Amino acid sequence: MLAEPFNWQPGMWKMLIVVMCVALLGCLQAQELQEHVSIILLGATGDLAKKYLWQGLFQLYLDEAGRGHSFSFHGAALTAPKQGQELMAKALESLSCPKDMAPSHCAEEKDQFLQLSRYRQLKTAEDYQALNKDIEAQLQHAGLREAGRIFYFSVPPFAYADIARNINSSCRPGPGAWLRVVLEKPFGHDHFSAQQLATELGSFFQEEEMYRVDHYLGKQAVAQILPFRDQNRKALDSLWNRHHVERVEIIMKETVDAEGRTSFYEEYGVIRDVLQNHLTEVLTLVAMELPLNVSSAEAVLRHKLQVFQALRGLQRGSAVVGQYQSYSEQVRRELQKPDSFHSLTPTFAAVLVHIDNLRWEGVPFILMSGKALDERVGYARILFKNQACCVQSEKHWAAAQSQCLPRQLIFHIGHGDLGSPAVLVSRNLFRPSLPSSWKEMEGPPGLHLFGSPLSDYYAYSPVQERDAHSVLLSHIFHGRKDSFITTENLLASWSFWTPLLESLAHKAPRLYPGGAENGRLLDFEFSSGRLFFSQQQPEQLVPGPGPAPMPSDFQVLRAKYRESPLVSAWSEELISKLANDIEATAVRAVRRFGQFHLALSGGSSPVALFQQLATAHYGFPWAHTHLWLVDERCVPLSDPESNFQGLQAHLLQHVRVPYYNIHPMPVHLQQRLCAEEDQGAQIYAREISALVANSSFDLVLLGMGADGHTASLFPQSPTGLDGEQLVVLTTSPSQPHRRMSLSLPLINRAKKVAVLVMGRMKREITALVSRVGYEPKKWPISGVLPHSGQLVWYMDYDAFLA
């Protein structure tokens, strides 16, 4: 007898689906519970591990262990097992729980964490193989599925390669599990070393596996910059630009000195230690274009990279540096240096940064950090322009209404008078929106910050303060890459900072006593791309007992060099003298002929001159001045390598020269660079012949290369040294190789030629050229002899006397 078919009712179908979903969810939860993460802390007994990393790992365990994750923690170092276990146990004694956790629960959690943490010596390839076998055996024994492994490199960078090789060869997790390798700064010493380190690590790990830590990105106020900008888009969209922002200050001040760390500081100094990484990262968060989705790590990193691409190159005049007075003595004592040793390492630096894009053009970004200062504090401060004029007296101004009060937004990173992370918004700006993890705060009565009482701000602080490393460890665990430094962004940062570091390598920093005694000695000002100390201080070539000589103690030295007049002085005084002489020549030419034709050389030496002319010569007859280029690299005029771009950045954008009086070299024609058939050199020659009487410039400014070249006329190359051509195409031994240059015969037609030579690096060629005769094929500079004009050499003491 056949059974009757079962009649399924609609309600029974629903019940079956619910049962199946519950069963499936249970399976998924069971599977999730089986996922295991092994965390290996290399350098587990070091200072960073003791101060921050073990506590951060414990916090990670507290946050995640109850969410279906299983953990094991392996503290590793080179120390032998017994001693290493003792050191690690001592480090783990200081673990603490959140304030709101009951003591009994805290003790239970700490005990469980200690049971999961073990020490092991990782020294040889066999040690790494043994670690891998132990992890696999643990997984198999407990029936766990491996989710991934985190290797935290809390070790010096010189150890990275060996560790990376061992991890890659014998300690990677199995298929389906992830590997995350965490690297602490420093990431190189300059662009070249950073590139080497990146290439080496890239041979062992994929980019997505590497997490370069900048702990500033884990600080709560810094981590809030992008979410704050996102949540307050409506209020900030119209304000966050050059039309409304007066300047941005990104500051990290410390009261401690470098005692005990002078070996590190001698190698890195304050710019590499703080500005190149921490403060630059904050700058990118403030300045970047806001992605539509700030949760997209890829979009955030891409927009940060765009900021690096828009940064204007730094010059020596972009920075001021200082050193606290006892630093050299500390170095001599700690590093066993002779009594005659004096360090040039800066312990204080302020740098003026400009971003050449439509949003930020012309807005100064000030980055500043130093040791042995008067307070410990860090912040990013956006100061808005104020064009209001209030008729009522100040006593009637209301904080939430008066537009005459300062308008500013501060991401207070920590310490200082507030003593905690905070976000402060002037009440006369807007009432901000923040996430529920931030609360409105009240500070001590009478507290003033940045010129205003705390009551003038909407002030917020985190509900629960968290250490930066704890925040970043959580991001590593969850695979969030936006809080870390990619290889591309790292190399872009070093490309930006390396030229400044090289230019400051031989600059003596200003000495300061330290602490409150600094007074106004480190105060600085900025103007037209230059940053300078507000107060004059004696130049001290070799710091030592007794008062240092003032630049005014040395007269401007007037003598002869190669049978022509020589002007020599300290660099600042020399630039001032040259600028005065150029202005006087210009005024005379305009008075006699109605116009002044000035041909300017490219490179780094004239930058300080351009800045001096832009900021201190308001009587210069710019309206009647024609500006020509002595030479140009064969790159687009918008390229940072272009001499015209340097002239534009440091002079033209600050003075009023009629655009038809500006004559860039035509190196880019027909979408090609310096193609012979485009006849760019001939075009420029015809333009000179048409506008400059007798093709005789009123003044030509030249430099001198370390190989004796001038303009773009190079040794062992006959091009442009004689003949009828006024403008020539030449080849440089360094990139970009192709150049366009005025010829030597044209230069020698000038009414006056000034040769500017600056820096200790020019001392050798200066001495050599002083002895040679007329040998332009070997030393093109020796061929500069105006036929009926005057040649004057301008050399600073570093180049002339060294």
Side-chain angles (χ1 to χ4, degrees), residues 203-243:
S203 66
F204 301 116
F205 305 125
Q206 299 295 318
E207 179 65 30
E208 61 269 19
E209 294 175 332
M210 290 186 282
Y211 289 71
R212 289 184 186 86
V213 167
D214 184 328
H215 78 273
Y216 245 54
L217 291 175
K219 289 186 175 290
Q220 287 171 288
V222 175
Q224 187 56 220
I225 294 175
L226 282 188
F228 180 90
R229 290 180 58 192
D230 184 45
Q231 283 189 258
N232 295 278
R233 279 182 195 255
K234 189 173 180 181
L236 285 175
D237 270 355
S238 61
L239 294 173
W240 211 253
N241 55 60
R242 60 193 167 100
H243 302 297

Side-chain angles (χ1 to χ4, degrees), residues 9 98 126 135 272 390 407 413 455 498 520 564 615 648 651 668 676 684 764:
Q9 300 297 321
E126 290 74 23
I135 292 174
R272 290 180 175 92
C390 297
R407 301 193 303 159
I413 298 167
S455 57
T498 298
R520 296 192 58 238
S564 294
T615 57
Q648 161 68 19
L651 180 62
H668 197 186
E676 294 272 3
Y684 206 55
E764 190 173 328

Side-chain angles (χ1 to χ4, degrees), residues 522-542:
L522 295 178
D523 289 357
F524 56 88
E525 301 170 27
F526 54 90
S527 176
S528 300
R530 258 184 93 239
L531 192 144
F532 45 89
F533 284 119
S534 302
Q535 291 188 346
Q536 291 296 314
Q537 188 198 21
E539 293 282 351
Q540 204 163 356
L541 295 183
V542 181

Side-chain angles (χ1 to χ4, degrees), residues 116-305:
L116 296 172
S117 306
R118 64 193 69 179
Y119 176 83
R120 63 188 313 133
Q121 185 180 33
L122 282 183
K123 195 171 185 179
T124 66
E126 290 74 23
D127 292 334
Y128 285 86
Q129 292 165 8
L131 170 63
N132 187 60
K133 286 179 182 176
D134 286 355
I135 292 174
E136 289 178 346
Q138 180 187 2
L139 292 166
Q140 190 172 5
H141 177 74
L144 301 170
R145 188 173 75 85
E146 185 166 28
R149 298 179 191 179
I150 297 173
F151 285 85
Y152 201 116
F153 287 40
S154 180
V155 296
F158 65 77
Y160 283 4
D162 282 343
I163 295 172
R165 187 178 295 106
N166 284 318
I167 293 172
N168 186 55
S169 64
S170 58
C171 223
R172 279 183 168 274
W178 45 256
L179 171 67
R180 290 172 191 156
V181 175
V182 189
L183 308 164
E184 281 277 353
K185 80 174 183 75
F187 313 120
H189 184 266
D190 55 18
H191 184 265
F192 178 73
S193 59
Q195 178 71 72
Q196 280 187 313
L197 185 59
T199 301
E200 198 165 31
L201 289 171
S203 66
F204 301 116
F205 305 125
Q206 299 295 318
E207 179 65 30
E208 61 269 19
E209 294 175 332
M210 290 186 282
Y211 289 71
R212 289 184 186 86
V213 167
D214 184 328
H215 78 273
Y216 245 54
L217 291 175
K219 289 186 175 290
Q220 287 171 288
V222 175
Q224 187 56 220
I225 294 175
L226 282 188
F228 180 90
R229 290 180 58 192
D230 184 45
Q231 283 189 258
N232 295 278
R233 279 182 195 255
K234 189 173 180 181
L236 285 175
D237 270 355
S238 61
L239 294 173
W240 211 253
N241 55 60
R242 60 193 167 100
H243 302 297
H244 296 281
V245 175
E246 180 181 312
R247 70 172 184 262
V248 177
E249 301 170 359
I250 302 172
I251 308 296
M252 177 185 167
K253 296 170 67 178
E254 296 184 276
T255 53
V256 298
D257 60 20
E259 188 167 14
R261 295 183 69 221
T262 56
S263 60
F264 171 84
Y265 238 70
E266 272 301 278
E267 186 175 358
Y268 290 94
V270 67
I271 295 178
R272 290 180 175 92
D273 185 35
V274 178
L275 279 77
Q276 180 272 328
N277 37 71
H278 303 329
L279 303 194
T280 302
E281 286 299 314
V282 176
L283 180 148
T284 61
L285 293 173
V286 171
M288 65 185 275
E289 293 299 312
L290 205 57
L292 289 174
N293 178 11
V294 295
S295 300
S296 166
E298 182 184 352
V300 169
L301 293 169
R302 185 174 66 252
H303 284 225
K304 287 173 75 171
L305 185 61

Side-chain angles (χ1 to χ4, degrees), residues 43-46 75-88 119-123 127:
T45 57
L78 299 176
T79 311
K82 185 179 179 183
Q83 184 185 2
Q85 182 63 50
E86 291 172 357
L87 290 170
M88 191 175 113
Y119 176 83
R120 63 188 313 133
Q121 185 180 33
L122 282 183
K123 195 171 185 179
D127 292 334

Side-chain angles (χ1 to χ4, degrees), residues 705-721:
D707 59 355
H709 84 263
T710 192
S712 281
L713 306 173
F714 297 96
Q716 314 303 329
S717 174
T719 310
L721 299 179

Side-chain angles (χ1 to χ4, degrees), residues 669-736:
L669 297 170
Q670 309 291 337
Q671 303 297 314
R672 297 182 292 197
L673 292 170
C674 293
E676 294 272 3
E677 53 269 33
D678 292 335
Q679 297 193 326
Q682 292 87 329
I683 291 171
Y684 206 55
R686 288 197 292 272
E687 190 175 0
I688 292 169
S689 299
L691 296 175
V692 182
N694 302 317
S695 298
S696 175
F697 291 107
D698 295 300
L699 192 151
V700 174
L701 176 69
L702 299 175
M704 178 170 68
D707 59 355
H709 84 263
T710 192
S712 281
L713 306 173
F714 297 96
Q716 314 303 329
S717 174
T719 310
L721 299 179
D722 50 29
E724 298 298 319
Q725 282 186 277
L726 301 183
V727 184
V728 294
L729 292 175
T730 67
T731 303
S732 166
S734 58
Q735 289 187 337

Side-chain angles (χ1 to χ4, degrees), residues 198-498:
T199 301
E200 198 165 31
L201 289 171
S203 66
F204 301 116
F205 305 125
Q206 299 295 318
E207 179 65 30
E208 61 269 19
E209 294 175 332
M210 290 186 282
Y211 289 71
R212 289 184 186 86
V213 167
D214 184 328
H215 78 273
Y216 245 54
L217 291 175
K219 289 186 175 290
Q220 287 171 288
V222 175
Q224 187 56 220
I225 294 175
L226 282 188
F228 180 90
R229 290 180 58 192
D230 184 45
Q231 283 189 258
N232 295 278
R233 279 182 195 255
K234 189 173 180 181
L236 285 175
D237 270 355
S238 61
L239 294 173
W240 211 253
N241 55 60
R242 60 193 167 100
H243 302 297
H244 296 281
V245 175
E246 180 181 312
R247 70 172 184 262
V248 177
E249 301 170 359
I250 302 172
I251 308 296
M252 177 185 167
K253 296 170 67 178
E254 296 184 276
T255 53
V256 298
D257 60 20
E259 188 167 14
R261 295 183 69 221
T262 56
S263 60
F264 171 84
Y265 238 70
E266 272 301 278
E267 186 175 358
Y268 290 94
V270 67
I271 295 178
R272 290 180 175 92
D273 185 35
V274 178
L275 279 77
Q276 180 272 328
N277 37 71
H278 303 329
L279 303 194
T280 302
E281 286 299 314
V282 176
L283 180 148
T284 61
L285 293 173
V286 171
M288 65 185 275
E289 293 299 312
L290 205 57
L292 289 174
N293 178 11
V294 295
S295 300
S296 166
E298 182 184 352
V300 169
L301 293 169
R302 185 174 66 252
H303 284 225
K304 287 173 75 171
L305 185 61
Q306 289 170 0
V307 176
F308 284 116
Q309 293 165 346
L311 292 175
R312 185 187 302 171
L314 295 173
Q315 308 290 339
R316 181 167 167 171
S318 304
V320 291
V321 292
Q323 181 192 99
Y324 62 84
Q325 285 175 337
S326 61
Y327 177 77
S328 282
E329 191 277 325
Q330 290 174 345
V331 174
R332 289 194 290 270
R333 184 177 67 250
E334 293 181 15
L335 303 184
Q336 288 80 53
K337 298 284 186 181
D339 291 342
S340 59
F341 175 82
H342 292 278
S343 174
L344 294 179
T345 300
T347 61
F348 166 87
V351 179
L352 176 61
V353 176
H354 279 99
I355 302 172
D356 290 331
N357 60 22
L358 284 174
R359 183 180 294 277
W360 297 113
E361 184 180 8
V363 177
F365 283 72
I366 306 295
L367 276 57
M368 186 268 280
S369 184
K371 290 190 172 294
L373 300 181
D374 64 321
E375 63 174 338
R376 183 186 184 191
V377 69
Y379 58 85
R381 177 191 184 211
I382 298 90
L383 183 64
F384 294 89
K385 294 177 181 177
N386 193 341
Q387 296 171 328
C389 185
C390 297
V391 175
Q392 281 189 307
S393 63
E394 186 175 348
K395 61 187 176 185
H396 296 298
W397 293 356
Q401 298 167 355
S402 175
Q403 293 304 303
C404 286
L405 287 167
R407 301 193 303 159
Q408 45 198 337
L409 165 57
I410 298 114
F411 296 97
H412 193 272
I413 298 167
H415 306 291
D417 291 333
L418 272 180
S420 67
V423 175
L424 309 171
V425 182
S426 293
R427 288 182 180 271
N428 58 352
L429 268 174
F430 61 91
R431 186 180 188 94
S433 171
L434 277 93
S436 59
S437 55
W438 288 69
K439 62 181 181 183
E440 287 201 58
M441 66 178 293
E442 293 182 7
L447 177 63
H448 276 64
L449 294 165
F450 307 101
S452 300
L454 188 61
S455 57
D456 279 6
Y457 298 98
Y458 295 112
Y460 297 83
S461 62
V463 172
Q464 181 182 356
E465 283 192 48
R466 293 194 62 174
D467 171 69
H469 283 90
S470 295
V471 172
L472 293 177
L473 279 165
S474 175
H475 290 182
I476 294 161
F477 179 79
H478 291 287
R480 281 186 52 184
K481 292 283 286 185
D482 53 318
S483 300
F484 301 90
I485 317 300
T486 64
T487 300
E488 196 173 16
N489 283 32
L490 172 69
L491 296 178
S493 178
W494 275 121
S495 291
F496 175 66
W497 285 102
T498 298

